[in-house]
Amino acid sequence: METNFTDIQQLWQSQKAAHFDVQKLIGQLQRLEKKQKREWIIALALLPMTLIVLALVLPWRESSLATTSLVMIGLGMVWMVWLSAKSRVVTTRDSEDFSNQEFIQKQLGKLRLRYTILQKHILIYGGLIALAVNISYLVVLEPLSPGYRLLSHLNATLFIALVMYGSIRFKKRKYDKELKPMIEHLEKLLETGAG
């Protein structure tokens, strides 16, 4: 029994520790974040442009429903930008800030948040936008016949649902290709005790 324990101990001690290269990891995170930066720029540009266009088109001064719709769309867009900001990974590292393990855990949490945004928050956002658009349609399409209004509401909701479904599928494939390997790599580093 003692020789078994000694053999296992020697085998364990002879294993090489996993090499952890912080700079290589930061380089991978920087490449990943560079791709996200484009989406950030688009989202930040679309927010004021969308609100300006809607403010010009909707009769928000005459109708509280139009104002509600405008506020809902604005809040939804601000919420998504805020969630995206929370999921930004750190692409520089000051070695005195925290240990390698803390650094990895923090980045892993942010990458997982991106999946959560995609699987959960985007659906809420899509529902909010569909509701806001339908509220604004109540005001804009008021002079039309009820049948045409109902058809317009259904078409708008269906269009938003299809756009959201397509963008979620596209983004999921992209995340599975880019984020999933990085998440698995970081999880493996945590398992091997990097830091």
Side-chain angles (χ1 to χ4, degrees):
M1 176 99 156
E2 183 64 35
T3 52
N4 248 354
F5 178 72
T6 307
D7 290 342
I8 291 171
Q9 185 179 16
Q10 287 175 349
L11 180 65
W12 179 259
Q13 290 174 348
S14 69
Q15 291 179 347
K16 292 185 177 180
H19 177 65
F20 177 63
D21 185 359
V22 174
Q23 295 307 321
K24 182 179 177 188
L25 177 61
I26 290 173
Q28 291 171 331
L29 291 171
Q30 284 175 337
R31 284 190 294 279
L32 193 63
E33 198 58 33
K34 189 176 182 179
K35 292 177 182 179
Q36 285 291 114
K37 189 176 184 179
R38 279 182 296 216
E39 292 177 18
W40 258 87
I41 291 169
I42 291 169
L44 289 174
L46 283 179
L47 177 62
M49 288 182 352
T50 302
L51 294 176
I52 290 169
V53 167
L54 288 174
L56 293 173
V57 172
L58 290 175
W60 57 273
R61 290 186 183 125
E62 292 89 36
S63 170
S64 61
L65 287 177
T67 305
T68 302
S69 175
L70 188 62
V71 169
M72 286 174 66
I73 291 171
L75 288 176
M77 293 180 84
V78 167
W79 179 56
M80 288 310 295
V81 168
W82 177 75
L83 283 172
S84 294
K86 279 183 61 173
S87 74
R88 288 189 66 193
V89 294
V90 175
T91 56
T92 61
R93 183 174 185 279
D94 185 4
S95 59
E96 286 101 36
D97 283 351
F98 37 80
S99 72
N100 289 340
Q101 192 166 10
E102 288 174 299
F103 177 75
I104 293 169
Q105 286 174 337
K106 188 173 184 176
Q107 302 318 308
L108 187 57
K110 289 181 180 230
L111 293 176
R112 286 180 178 153
L113 177 59
R114 289 184 185 178
Y115 266 109
T116 304
I117 291 169
L118 181 67
Q119 294 168 342
K120 180 180 168 188
H121 301 301
I122 285 285
L123 296 174
I124 296 168
Y125 174 69
L128 182 68
I129 295 299
L131 180 63
V133 166
N134 279 302
I135 288 172
S136 68
Y137 271 23
L138 288 174
V139 176
V140 173
L141 301 177
E142 189 175 14
L144 302 176
S145 70
Y148 185 75
R149 290 173 65 185
L150 180 63
L151 186 63
S152 297
H153 285 284
L154 291 174
N155 284 335
T157 304
L158 182 63
F159 177 74
I160 291 169
L162 288 174
V163 167
M164 295 306 281
Y165 176 75
S167 63
I168 289 171
R169 279 189 55 159
F170 173 77
K171 195 87 158 164
K172 180 151 178 23
R173 273 190 252 130
K174 180 182 170 190
Y175 279 7
D176 286 345
K177 183 180 165 189
E178 296 172 357
L179 286 185
K180 198 172 192 176
M182 177 64 77
I183 289 172
E184 290 169 355
H185 176 68
L186 292 175
E187 287 172 341
K188 197 177 295 183
L189 284 173
L190 282 177
E191 286 174 11
T192 60

